[in-house]
Amino acid sequence: MAILECENLKFIYGIGTPFEFCAVDGVDFYAQENEIIGIIGHTGSGKSTFIQHLNGLLKPTEGTVIVNGKDIWAKENKDNIRQVRFAVGLCFQYPEHQIFEETIFKEIAFGPKQMGLDDEEIKSRVYESMEYVGLDKAMENKSPFDLSGGQKRRVAIASIIAMKPQVLILDEPCAGLDPKGRDVILNLVKDYQNKSGSTVLFVSHSMEDVAKIADRVLVFNDSKVAMFGTVDEVYSRGKELKTMGLNVPEVTEAFLKLHDMGIGCRTDIYTVEQGIEEFKRLKSKKEDMQ
């Protein structure tokens, strides 16, 4: 069942000015319950503008955004945008820069308080969210400003999770982190999705990160959807992705080159583990021919 949909979504910046620009053009999209969707595309392709439509931060120039079967901008729903933002939580790139409360507890509790929940429910949600992102309960009274960059990001993500959104959207959740920090964030996102059953959308410039945890991949190119399918379906089109200015995983690049050299290898390889298995297959095939 589709929990979130877009139909012919279009957004134009600066209408009627010399700076008029179509950032999202005719996008059709759907997200089902309990899945992870990676969103990729070159800089300026429309990714960030697109996700800001999904919880009503931007209103479409044309087209519709549908949450739980309802057009969020329909006249009869015009007073429900606030509820839409609780159902579809959006965590911006470098969310740690938006932290403002004096303690970790208060920072994570801010969203649930806006929902009008009672103190016990707020406390329960704060502790549950801290557990999801790997923050010890004993840290609740610590200032978030005293934390490392990676810990601050976890606090920021926990503050969105605490509202228990049906859809969690993360804009470049691993930006600026070292490889270890990236793995921590990716693992917590996957773990959160498995435990909560929520739908997760995440924007990334790293096709390796997307391959690690996504079920499906949405590819933007020049304001339009260029591809939308499973990881296998999208990554098997490595040459097309490269023409869009995307950096395919190094292992994919290697097998594309082997294929161009006339070696009958698969081209939908995007993890090291897949590469090893394909190498073993090729080796075994060569031995059988000798």
Side-chain angles (χ1 to χ4, degrees):
M1 175 183 173
I3 190 171
L4 176 65
E5 301 173 76
C6 295
E7 296 177 355
N8 196 32
L9 190 69
K10 187 172 186 176
F11 185 77
I12 302 174
Y13 285 107
I15 294 176
T17 74
F19 305 102
E20 184 172 313
F21 171 70
C22 185
V24 174
D25 190 5
V27 170
D28 292 320
F29 167 81
Y30 70 97
Q32 298 173 325
E33 294 180 347
N34 195 25
E35 71 170 338
I36 298 180
I37 298 177
I39 303 174
I40 58 177
H42 60 79
T43 301
S45 61
K47 306 184 301 296
S48 292
T49 299
F50 168 68
I51 62 172
Q52 289 180 62
H53 282 81
L54 303 182
N55 75 340
L57 284 178
L58 290 177
K59 185 175 182 179
T61 305
E62 295 179 18
T64 56
V65 178
I66 301 167
V67 176
N68 291 320
K70 296 181 179 179
D71 178 355
I72 67 173
W73 291 106
K75 290 182 179 179
E76 62 270 22
N77 297 327
K78 65 179 181 179
D79 296 325
N80 290 334
I81 289 296
R82 189 166 183 267
Q83 295 305 315
V84 168
R85 290 173 186 163
F86 293 144
V88 182
L90 173 57
C91 194
F92 287 102
Q93 187 175 1
Y94 297 109
E96 62 272 21
H97 295 167
Q98 297 155 36
I99 287 173
F100 60 91
E101 287 285 7
E102 59 186 9
T103 70
I104 291 173
F105 184 95
K106 288 182 178 180
E107 182 68 35
I108 299 173
F110 181 81
K113 282 185 178 180
Q114 306 312 303
M115 299 174 73
L117 302 176
D118 62 50
D119 290 344
E120 284 305 309
E121 178 64 16
I122 290 171
K123 184 184 293 186
S124 173
R125 290 190 179 207
V126 169
Y127 294 152
E128 182 180 31
S129 299
M130 289 180 71
E131 183 178 353
Y132 271 133
V133 301
L135 292 172
D136 195 287
K137 181 180 173 181
M139 300 172 67
E140 64 178 297
N141 292 317
K142 191 171 184 177
S143 169
F145 300 102
D146 293 335
L147 303 178
S148 68
Q151 287 176 320
K152 286 180 182 176
R153 189 162 303 180
R154 282 188 264 170
V155 169
I157 293 173
S159 70
I160 304 296
I161 289 175
M163 292 185 283
K164 294 191 174 181
Q166 293 173 278
V167 180
L168 173 64
I169 304 175
L170 302 168
D171 190 0
E172 294 282 359
C174 299
L177 298 179
D178 60 25
K180 184 177 180 180
R182 295 166 71 91
D183 285 341
V184 167
I185 295 296
L186 289 174
N187 288 336
L188 78 83
V189 169
K190 184 67 175 178
D191 187 54
Y192 163 76
Q193 193 273 333
N194 282 335
K195 291 178 178 177
S196 69
S198 298
T199 297
V200 176
L201 278 60
F202 77 104
V203 176
S204 179
H205 276 92
S206 170
M207 292 182 66
E208 284 90 347
D209 289 352
V210 170
K212 286 178 182 176
I213 68 170
D215 299 305
R216 291 191 294 148
V217 185
L218 179 70
V219 183
F220 269 88
N221 186 46
D222 295 333
S223 307
K224 298 177 183 289
V225 172
M227 303 179 194
F228 188 30
T230 65
V231 175
D232 283 345
E233 289 169 345
V234 171
Y235 281 52
S236 65
R237 299 165 67 181
K239 288 185 178 180
E240 292 176 68
L241 293 169
K242 288 180 66 178
T243 65
M244 298 175 197
L246 294 169
N247 295 318
V248 299
E250 290 183 2
V251 67
T252 305
E253 183 81 49
F255 278 93
L256 285 173
K257 288 181 179 178
L258 289 173
H259 189 268
D260 287 344
M261 291 167 60
I263 296 174
C265 62
R266 289 169 49 196
T267 57
D268 58 344
I269 304 294
Y270 49 86
T271 68
V272 172
E273 291 74 20
Q274 288 176 330
I276 292 171
E277 289 303 311
E278 180 63 1
F279 178 76
K280 288 179 179 178
R281 185 188 72 82
L282 292 171
K283 184 179 180 182
S284 176
K285 182 179 178 180
K286 181 178 179 181
E287 290 173 349
D288 289 343
M289 293 174 63
Q290 291 177 345

